[in-house]
Amino acid sequence: MRSERARHNKIIFSGTVGAGKSTAINALSDLPPVSTEALASDDTAKLKKTTTVAMDYGVLNLPDGEKVMLYGTPGQERFSFMWDILSEGGIGLVLLINNANTDPLSDLKGYLDAFKDFITGTAVTVGVTHMDRAETPGLDAYRAKLAELGYQPVPAVFRVDARSRDDVAMLVKALLYTLNPGLIDA
Amino acid sequence: MSRHTILPGQPLTALYLLHVGSMDARLIGLSVERHWKHTVHLANSLENGRVVLIDCDRPGVEAAFEQLAPHPRTGVVCYAFHPKDHALRFPNRVILGKPLNLEALPGILAKAAAESARIIAAPPRRVAPAPYKPPSAAAQPSEALPPLGHGLQTEDERDLCGVMDDLPATPTGPLPERLFFNPDEYLIGHLLRAIEQAASSGRPHLIAGLPRLIGVRPRPVPACITDFRDNQLRPLSMAQLPPTTARLIGASSLTSNGSETVSASEDFLWNVAAWAARGRLPEGTDPYKPVRLRAWPNFTKVFMSPHALRISALWVRTWASPVEIAARLGIPQRYVFSVFSSARFAGLLDNTPPVRPGAIPQPPASTSASPPSGSAATEPVTRQQAQRPSILSRILRKLLNAV
């Protein structure tokens, strides 16, 4: 196991196309995030005009001058070769799932499988977006799916608005407490 | 005994609701009818009141104070969302924070009434008539009254988690009655029954008899619909409702007028239960019995008592009693009881005992947190690394300051 010091200070945001990864990083970052959004040219164009083709990059500036990098992976699976590279040495994974997609629970499984090794060594929290457009599946269905996939205890699953700094910060806070419930918050 | 407790033999306090909203008036009326009938009665006019209550957030508050000018012997208790702001407008007034602490209020009213009357009844001995002095200026020194409104965060914490002392670490005798609440006496009991009936019948249900709509629907996902605003729902959830106040009725559908809010039933139950519990446990709970959270609550939408994230993080991976969780985290038990009560009504509590109840896995001591397992660290989880805070702590502090 690597020490904290040896780790890179970075948190990984991943998830389906249109789930709000870029928006979430934008909401949380202290600096305008560097984005590699491009005009979508494939099926993604049906979902949104631009999509992330490499990665998003935001920064949390800590009071002591240290930085925590916020990396957003491209959502399209054809860029999945980048996921391992981006996540290497990360603190944990924030997974965003677009509930308005055709089969969001299958999306959840796909991403958990893809990041399985990374999650095993760290932790994951799940943000479900666009629940205002698609009420189902509900959070309990996500929890059941996670349990079915062997995630015990079941990771935190929150309904989030990726534009909300509060919501995104809550996902990260839950990630930190999952890693260590002994962190002092008050 | 609290310093605001009414002593035996103390006379009834005649309270006149000089300037309060209809919702508050109804809740206070219910409290008088249900709990305060031996301590407070509602006066039907300002002349008959010994103390008045004033909501400083309502328009026309200045006119309300003008009405008081001919009644210098009448005590005045104000309340507001931001008492400090109003303290500048109305100096030397007692201004409590919202929501009102209904347990403390009768004592505060009695004290304001008694002190106001006493000051006026014992004028200074001097020949020349004393200039008029508002009674409240002398009657209500801020240090003599409870700090209900001295800070919203502290006030929120006390109103929502109570002030209960911790239980012993192991059972030593009968548990104090004040540790428990009967959900059937609160909105949460009605709400839970409505959701259960909606689920079993497949039809929406309404809780009738309340000032505003609360409805539940079972599909497509269980949801609660209400046109109560949060600042109305909170005091309603905290108040004990007379048994005849609310009743459940089935409905073919829930029609929307566009002003309602729709919440997942789980989230709605969590909040209403937290407001009813106020750091207590539902009747019948054994605070020493190991339980577990089967899932994290939806913290982007639900009320968070202090340390709720830490409690949840530990309790989803640990079979432990509420008392034990508090000890492990080094926090007051009432915070854990709040989470317990909410989780129970939201259906997030797992009561099925583990195979080895005594075997409580510890959370990982480092940043590693493989989902399927916990490590066997033996240190209390509150034990922090010495010297420099970990990167996780520093990120957390950043987020807590930033959000």
Side-chain angles (χ1 to χ4, degrees):
Chain A
M1 184 188 308
R2 282 173 293 184
S3 70
E4 276 189 29
R5 193 174 292 277
R7 287 169 180 270
H8 298 280
N9 298 333
K10 64 181 180 184
I11 296 170
I12 312 303
F13 287 74
S14 190
T16 52
V17 173
K21 299 178 293 297
S22 304
T23 307
I25 290 174
N26 194 30
L28 199 59
S29 177
D30 289 326
L31 300 174
V34 177
S35 179
T36 52
E37 296 255 314
L39 287 175
S41 57
D42 53 13
D43 286 349
T44 304
K46 296 172 187 169
L47 297 171
K48 57 181 191 170
K49 288 179 180 174
T50 64
T51 192
T52 304
V53 294
M55 64 177 188
D56 288 312
Y57 173 69
V59 174
L60 275 181
N61 289 320
L62 302 185
D64 56 6
E66 203 162 0
K67 295 182 188 303
V68 177
M69 293 168 278
L70 310 172
Y71 281 123
T73 68
Q76 296 161 296
E77 286 205 30
R78 61 195 169 94
F79 292 106
S80 61
F81 66 92
M82 296 184 66
W83 295 353
D84 284 346
I85 300 168
L86 284 176
S87 59
E88 188 180 345
I91 290 169
L93 175 68
V94 174
L95 186 54
L96 297 176
I97 301 293
N98 183 346
N99 213 42
N101 278 2
T102 310
D103 189 353
L105 294 180
S106 174
D107 293 338
L108 174 72
K109 180 181 184 309
Y111 278 85
L112 291 173
D113 286 347
F115 284 95
K116 187 176 179 182
D117 290 344
F118 177 59
I119 295 169
T120 300
T122 57
V124 61
T125 53
V126 180
V128 184
T129 63
H130 300 99
M131 289 191 86
D132 52 336
R133 287 167 50 202
E135 284 187 273
T136 57
L139 295 190
D140 242 4
Y142 282 88
R143 295 168 183 150
K145 188 69 177 180
L146 284 158
E148 176 192 319
L149 294 170
Y151 283 84
Q152 283 295 350
V154 174
V157 183
F158 299 151
R159 171 181 178 147
V160 301
D161 179 343
R163 297 165 298 183
S164 161
R165 186 184 176 97
D166 285 4
D167 284 10
V168 180
M170 186 61 73
L171 281 168
V172 176
K173 282 188 272 187
L175 185 73
L176 300 176
Y177 282 117
T178 300
L179 291 164
N180 184 0
L183 294 174
I184 300 296
D185 67 345
Chain B
M1 181 183 291
S2 145
R3 61 179 160 170
H4 307 297
T5 303
I6 301 292
L7 298 170
Q10 200 159 336
L12 280 173
T13 304
L15 167 66
Y16 181 62
L17 304 177
L18 177 60
H19 191 68
V20 304
S22 59
M23 176 70 68
D24 288 354
R26 184 174 169 83
L27 289 172
I28 290 166
L30 287 171
S31 298
V32 170
E33 174 189 325
R34 180 89 179 179
H35 297 293
W36 303 345
K37 53 189 170 192
H38 301 301
T39 55
V40 177
H41 80 84
L42 290 179
N44 56 9
S45 68
L46 178 55
E47 287 70 25
N48 294 330
R50 290 184 60 224
V51 60
V52 299
L53 201 56
I54 294 176
D55 180 349
C56 292
D57 295 327
R58 299 193 75 225
V61 65
E62 289 85 359
F65 278 112
E66 285 172 14
Q67 289 183 57
L68 284 170
H71 303 278
R73 298 186 67 158
T74 303
V76 181
V77 174
C78 308
Y79 63 111
F81 276 114
H82 300 286
K84 283 181 182 172
D85 297 349
H86 293 284
L88 299 174
R89 291 173 67 199
F90 309 114
N92 301 318
R93 295 286 184 187
V94 177
I95 306 179
L96 309 177
K98 290 182 182 177
L100 286 169
N101 182 334
L102 292 178
E103 285 181 3
L105 189 59
I108 295 168
L109 294 171
K111 186 165 187 162
E115 293 194 356
S116 178
R118 188 173 70 233
I119 294 297
I120 299 299
R125 283 178 292 176
R126 50 187 164 185
V127 177
Y132 172 74
K133 185 179 181 183
S136 56
Q140 305 154 354
S142 58
E143 64 275 12
L145 284 165
L148 279 178
H150 73 97
L152 201 58
Q153 194 172 353
T154 305
E155 178 207 341
D156 261 358
E157 180 181 320
R158 189 161 77 172
D159 269 1
L160 297 173
C161 295
V163 291
M164 188 91 63
D165 291 335
D166 281 357
L167 299 173
T170 53
T172 55
L175 295 166
E177 277 186 25
R178 66 180 185 282
L179 175 65
F180 301 103
F181 72 101
N182 178 358
D184 290 338
E185 295 176 346
Y186 293 85
L187 176 62
I188 185 64
H190 300 285
L191 183 62
L192 186 64
R193 279 193 298 280
I195 289 171
E196 287 171 349
Q197 288 188 21
S200 60
S201 67
R203 294 169 52 210
H205 275 63
L206 299 172
I207 303 177
L210 302 176
R212 291 174 181 272
L213 167 78
I214 296 181
V216 301
R217 62 169 164 78
R219 288 190 295 265
V221 290
C224 298
I225 297 103
T226 184
D227 54 9
F228 278 104
R229 294 191 302 271
D230 257 6
N231 63 349
Q232 297 169 325
L233 190 60
R234 191 158 107 166
L236 180 68
S237 305
M238 288 175 163
Q240 292 189 346
L241 301 177
T244 53
T245 301
R247 63 189 189 281
L248 304 184
I249 55 174
S252 53
S253 64
L254 286 177
T255 54
S256 168
N257 63 19
S259 65
E260 306 95 344
T261 54
V262 180
S263 310
S265 290
E266 178 189 300
D267 299 349
F268 201 76
L269 283 163
W270 179 282
N271 285 342
V272 173
W275 292 328
R278 300 181 62 208
R280 297 174 295 173
L281 293 167
E283 276 182 358
T285 301
D286 179 356
Y288 297 100
K289 180 190 171 191
V291 293
R292 192 183 65 124
L293 284 186
R294 68 173 181 82
W296 289 69
N298 179 25
F299 275 130
T300 53
K301 299 292 176 193
V302 303
F303 161 71
M304 282 177 60
S305 54
H307 302 281
L309 278 166
R310 300 174 65 204
I311 294 167
S312 300
L314 183 58
W315 226 347
V316 293
R317 71 172 91 192
T318 301
W319 283 93
S321 70
V323 168
E324 201 171 2
I325 288 288
R328 293 272 305 278
L329 293 173
I331 58 177
Q333 291 168 1
R334 59 184 181 273
Y335 300 154
V336 183
F337 295 167
S338 172
V339 170
F340 178 99
S341 296
S342 287
R344 179 182 144 178
F345 288 100
L348 294 178
L349 207 61
D350 191 348
N351 284 300
T352 310
V355 178
R356 293 171 54 226
I360 299 168
Q362 302 284 321
S366 72
T367 58
S368 176
S370 172
S373 65
S375 71
T378 54
E379 292 291 300
V381 291
T382 49
R383 187 74 54 86
Q384 294 289 294
Q385 297 276 338
Q387 294 98 33
R388 192 167 185 243
S390 71
I391 183 65
L392 301 186
S393 294
R394 282 178 279 140
I395 297 171
L396 182 66
R397 286 176 190 175
K398 163 74 179 180
L399 293 173
L400 291 171
N401 290 334
V403 174

